[in-house]
Amino acid sequence: MPEQYYTTQLQAGLGLKEETKGLFELWAPGMNTQQLCDVALESGSFPNVTARRLRNIVAECFYPRYLRNEEVAHRVKSLLDVLSSTELSQIFYLYTSRSNYILSEFVKAVYWQKYASGYQSIDIEHAKEFIEQGLQEGKMKKPWSETTIKRVSSYILGCLADYGFLEGTTRKERKLTPPRVSDKIKVYLAYELHFSGLGDNAVINHPDWQLFGLTNDDVREELKALAVNRYWIIQAAGDVVQISWAYNNMEEVIDVIA
């Protein structure tokens, strides 16, 4: 895997849940970012968004989250009418975290650690300390100014609020409101990791589960519990897991969780 760096890309857009749904309704296979921008502008679906802002959302947010791999876009589009608003938010959060290394690392290293330690809230200083630590560890391609650090700290918290992980308030301190990951999202993620070519133990141990606060042991137990619904057959002996997968592709998986 190529080395990843913290970026300021969240400044282009945070959760963007409604904008993402609107763009998916307009997106068709084979569209590039310029074509999607043109269709979105002509559609009139974004009356309160300037042309420049819309292009920025498509190029800096929608594309890196969903269009780098068109198969991802196919899957997420097919889920729009299948999942509840909360479940869809968790899907958007998954792909936003994957495309924004700074967000995923903050969630794993700070958010869930604070929650596990009994914290009731989190504030911008926690985010700033996290970014400053990253700066010391060389996780940015070039140094950030104090202004940039403060701005990106705010973006991180705002994005988590958009996805329901923090109280939706503009106050400096935000209450932790960790959502429980939906069973449908667990099934979707497990199969997506499986079809990416990972072995059974690698699926269980994949860091994406940490985005939802799940340890390796948690994942193993969650998958065992879901086996009663015949999504798979799982056998575990110590740290070794063997899974017999019930479906042959993601289309089948999406049909089942619909």
Side-chain angles (χ1 to χ4, degrees):
M1 177 182 292
E3 189 169 3
Q4 292 182 286
Y5 294 96
Y6 294 171
T7 72
T8 61
Q9 195 172 55
L10 280 175
Q11 69 186 358
L14 305 182
L16 296 173
K17 291 191 292 185
E18 293 307 313
E19 292 88 344
T20 298
K21 286 189 283 186
L23 287 170
F24 266 120
E25 288 168 0
L26 298 170
W27 175 78
M31 273 189 186
N32 59 32
T33 54
Q34 185 58 56
Q35 290 169 329
L36 181 56
C37 281
D38 292 342
V39 169
L41 286 170
E42 292 169 5
S43 71
S45 300
F46 302 89
N48 299 318
V49 181
T50 65
R52 180 178 179 181
R53 172 70 179 140
L54 187 56
R55 289 190 182 94
N56 206 30
I57 289 173
V58 172
E60 299 297 326
C61 300
F62 193 79
Y63 173 81
R65 295 176 191 183
Y66 309 105
L67 294 184
R68 281 193 174 133
N69 180 347
E70 196 168 282
E71 287 185 10
V72 168
H74 277 286
R75 293 172 199 154
V76 177
K77 186 177 176 77
S78 67
L79 289 168
L80 292 183
D81 297 324
V82 170
L83 300 181
S84 68
S85 176
T86 297
E87 290 164 343
L88 201 55
S89 181
Q90 292 179 6
I91 284 288
F92 291 166
Y93 161 72
L94 171 64
Y95 288 110
T96 300
S97 298
R98 283 180 176 175
S99 68
N100 288 274
Y101 182 52
I102 191 170
L103 177 64
S104 66
E105 290 298 287
F106 178 82
V107 171
K108 297 170 191 175
V110 180
Y111 182 91
W112 288 113
Q113 293 298 324
K114 295 292 185 188
Y115 177 72
S117 298
Y119 280 69
Q120 298 296 310
S121 62
I122 218 167
D123 63 41
I124 198 167
E125 292 303 318
H126 293 125
K128 286 176 64 179
E129 289 169 7
F130 163 77
I131 293 175
E132 288 165 353
Q133 181 66 32
L135 188 61
Q136 293 175 16
E137 295 173 358
K139 292 186 176 180
M140 290 80 158
K141 286 188 175 180
K142 60 181 181 180
W144 288 3
S145 68
E146 182 63 29
T147 300
T148 299
I149 291 173
K150 183 176 180 180
R151 197 170 66 242
V152 176
S153 298
S154 177
Y155 297 151
I156 290 171
L157 299 190
C159 193
L160 289 175
D162 284 350
Y163 290 131
F165 284 72
L166 292 173
E167 193 175 60
T169 173
T170 56
R171 292 183 303 179
K172 184 178 178 182
E173 187 173 73
R174 294 177 185 248
K175 183 180 178 182
L176 297 171
T177 55
R180 175 171 173 76
V181 59
S182 157
D183 285 349
K184 290 182 179 181
I185 305 305
K186 294 172 200 168
V187 173
Y188 176 92
L189 178 54
Y191 267 100
E192 191 196 48
L193 295 172
H194 165 62
F195 288 127
S196 74
L198 295 179
D200 297 343
N201 283 284
V203 169
I204 297 286
N205 297 324
H206 197 277
D208 276 357
W209 297 107
Q210 297 172 35
L211 296 171
F212 298 98
L214 299 176
T215 66
N216 299 346
D217 288 340
D218 293 334
V219 177
R220 189 180 296 106
E221 293 308 309
E222 294 283 356
L223 297 196
K224 284 181 182 177
L226 287 167
V228 301
N229 296 321
R230 299 184 179 179
Y231 294 124
W232 42 64
I233 297 171
I234 181 170
Q235 297 174 304
D239 292 333
V240 179
V241 173
Q242 184 174 0
I243 303 174
S244 297
W245 302 91
Y247 310 115
N248 297 311
N249 53 58
M250 286 304 294
E251 288 74 20
E252 291 184 10
V253 174
I254 290 169
D255 286 342
V256 166
I257 65 176

